[in-house]
Amino acid sequence: RYMNNCVCIIKMSNEDDKERRHFQQVCNSYQQYATFHQVIEQGVNHRRERLLSSKNENAVQESEPTVESILQKSFSELQMKKNNELFCQATIRNQYFLDNVLKHAGAMTSQEILRLRNECTEAFEVEWTTEDQISKIDSVLKSIYRDWSIEGKEERSVVYAKLLSALDKYLPIRSNDDRGPPRVAVPGSGLGRLAFEIYSKGYSSQGSDFSLPMLLASDFILNGCTDRCQFAISPWIHETKNVKSLQDRLRTVNVPDVVATVDPSNDGEVAPDFTMLAGEFLSLYSHFLPGNGCVDNQQVESVEKFNAVVCSFFIDTAPSLPHYLITIYHMLKNGGLFVSIGPLMWHWSGFGTVIPGDLDGASKTSEGDFINAEHKQRTEHLDQRYLQSVDFTWEETRAMIVNCGFEILEEKCDIKTRYTCDVMSMKKVDYDCVFFVARKLPR
């Protein structure tokens, strides 16, 4: 789809059946969002009713408080009915936005599925989505709040402003450069706002992400929205802990705060382009590695490589950080920039831990590990990348960046920021992030 010079491309792998299955599962979670959350709320109301019906055997006199008297005075039937209506309206509001995403993607909306079920004369078997899948849609809505609302500007600007300033400082766009605008890769770009901001400044920007729920929403935001504040969403309705009021939980934000139809600020003859790729980072960019389509750096046309790789909350998503760093190194031209900001959460951490009993009767594996059958049985259901993941300190991470062939130009620790944080919540998580700018040294 084209929007001025902006192109959004979804590139998937060749495993057609597997990809179609995954796409359908994601569509199911989009279609069933409102139903899922309404049923969850019904379950909560049922628990309230069970509490009301419970007897307070410790109450000696009628004047003493009971479970029933406390709940009835706190939650009248009329108030509960009003609250349920407000909650239902919030789920419908979110479903309306999600249905527009589905429609843009060429998939059936929740209402079309409902009509199909009603019109079907035979038994209509529903493949219900899971809590895990719905949690991913909840994350999409929170990310939309962060990236594409006025309310999320303060949170995202702490991160994005530093990355954009680094590009301005170390990779300025020069007028009338016949080589074209600098090429910037933005892996882990999620809803695409950072990649869009880079493109808006006149760089050729290529975002990428592994999450199909995120990519469907970003494609719609970038290519399907026609007006500012076109949709109202309630991104916090799934939050039930540390909530001060129902109004906080159901409050709305309007999205998007800008329409992605800007003409990039580039004075050169070659216009910048904007692409979004779908896929796992190493799979998308492995062709830059020696032996995977190119023998060495000299045999790759320099125009194919990137002038910069810009990462926001990305490097700690690596199941194997050394492989990510080596790939980034080969993606870049000599002198190219590696710019990053984020914490070290290590998303693949915490699974497949070796405990003392795993060493009993252990034998050496072909990979050189010493594990027994019990450990193998306990971890065989896991993605094997969990078993390769190592949690590195920043000191170790920094050393690997340097050893990979980069020089550190800037480094700053303890940059306080949040990520999709509900500012009205009683619990807020602050990250002390690391920001650095590194340059690729020629070999």
Side-chain angles (χ1 to χ4, degrees), residues 332-380:
L332 289 168
K333 300 177 182 180
N334 286 334
L337 297 177
F338 177 20
V339 188
S340 175
I341 188 170
L344 297 178
M345 289 283 290
W346 302 120
H347 293 227
W348 293 82
S349 175
F351 297 90
T353 304
V354 176
I355 58 179
D358 295 332
L359 301 179
D360 296 341
S363 58
K364 191 172 183 179
T365 68
S366 58
E367 290 80 20
D369 299 326
F370 284 88
I371 55 173
N372 60 15
E374 184 176 339
H375 178 272
K376 184 176 180 180
Q377 182 179 7
R378 197 174 71 246
T379 60
E380 62 183 359

Side-chain angles (χ1 to χ4, degrees), residues 108-228:
M108 296 181 71
T109 68
S110 65
Q111 296 305 299
E112 290 171 331
I113 291 290
L114 183 60
R115 283 196 296 270
L116 184 63
R117 289 178 62 185
N118 292 336
E119 294 170 359
C120 189
T121 56
E122 300 178 0
F124 190 96
E125 186 175 348
V126 178
E127 181 183 355
W128 291 108
T129 190
T130 64
E131 285 185 90
D132 180 60
Q133 290 292 332
I134 289 295
S135 71
K136 294 177 182 178
I137 308 304
D138 292 328
S139 295
V140 167
L141 292 170
K142 290 193 296 184
S143 295
I144 292 171
Y145 152 81
R146 170 184 167 87
D147 264 10
W148 294 100
S149 75
I150 294 173
E151 292 84 352
K153 182 177 180 179
E154 181 178 355
E155 180 183 280
R156 67 176 179 265
S157 292
V158 174
V159 173
Y160 295 172
K162 293 195 73 67
L163 299 172
L164 294 171
S165 295
L167 287 179
D168 285 337
K169 181 178 179 180
Y170 295 102
L171 189 62
I173 295 178
R174 294 177 174 83
S175 298
N176 300 318
D177 189 341
D178 58 5
R179 294 173 298 177
R183 299 186 71 234
V184 180
V186 190
S189 54
L191 268 292
R193 183 59 181 262
L194 177 59
F196 171 73
E197 293 293 344
I198 291 172
Y199 165 73
S200 299
K201 293 177 73 67
Y203 298 90
S204 284
S205 178
Q206 184 174 99
S208 61
D209 204 277
F210 181 67
S211 169
L212 186 55
M214 288 283 186
L215 286 160
L216 290 180
S218 66
D219 185 26
F220 175 64
I221 291 285
L222 292 167
N223 294 296
C225 291
T226 57
D227 298 304
R228 288 184 65 253

